[in-house]
Amino acid sequence: MPGDAMTTQDDVRARVVGAAARLLNEHGAGALTTRGVAQAAGVQAPTIYRLFGDKDGLVEAVAEHVMATYVAAKRAAVADTDLDPVTDLRAGWRLHVEFGLANPGLYALISNAAGRREPSAATVAGIEVLRARVHRLAAAGLLRVDEARALDMIHAAGTGTVLALLEKPVAERDLGLVDALFDAVAGHLLSSDPVPEADDRLTTAIVTLAALAPDLPGLSGAERRLLGEWLDRALAAVGD
């Protein structure tokens, strides 16, 4: 019956993804070959191509499987508006590092460090969660740079932290770097001086208004876009 065939295909897909995840966890990224996964899952290699298209498709499926709970937890934290946005960002940073250290093979495959031409779907999903966190900081008037710059810096620093720690044997890892590097990045990006310099005050005001502009009442879409262009121009002028 069609329903039985679909269930069988879903079962095979789940078995292949599970086998690939185990290989990654036990033997690292080098073990994730089509032949190795097929053998571990008890299927023929063409089955993997039929279900996933290619190795990248399989990696995406494994990443989705392993990261489902992780990404859901990050999104839940963003949705909790009672959290202080800086505390929320620190919690997300720690969770990101913990996931990378717990899943080194998968992290290497989904990061750009693995030589991918495009970021993985899992990476894109994580960046969108980070984007929401950064927007909360901007809306609270805490950013000293624009949102795009803050997003890029935090993402790059978080990825670098994981990769730097993974380069060392477990016993030699200095986990104090996790909070130390967060504090260094946050100190550059976040406004903490109660009486900042004039340029800092102006930058913070522009960034905050840019974050709130899409929700300003009484403006048309065209007017909001124009305001965004003006604010971008003003921010560039302050930075010169």
Side-chain angles (χ1 to χ4, degrees), residues 10-23 32 37-38 40-44 47-48 51-52 58 62:
D10 288 345
D11 288 345
V12 172
R13 180 183 177 88
R15 191 164 77 244
V16 171
V17 170
R22 287 192 299 274
L23 284 174
L32 200 68
V37 172
V43 301
Q44 299 296 316
T47 300
I48 294 180
L51 291 175
F52 303 100
L58 175 59
V62 173

Side-chain angles (χ1 to χ4, degrees), residues 24-25 28-29 32 59-60 62-67 99-100 103-111:
L24 265 175
N25 185 53
L32 200 68
V59 170
E60 296 293 354
V62 173
E64 181 179 358
H65 170 70
V66 176
M67 294 184 69
F99 176 84
N103 300 274
L106 179 59
Y107 194 87
L109 286 172
I110 65 176
S111 71

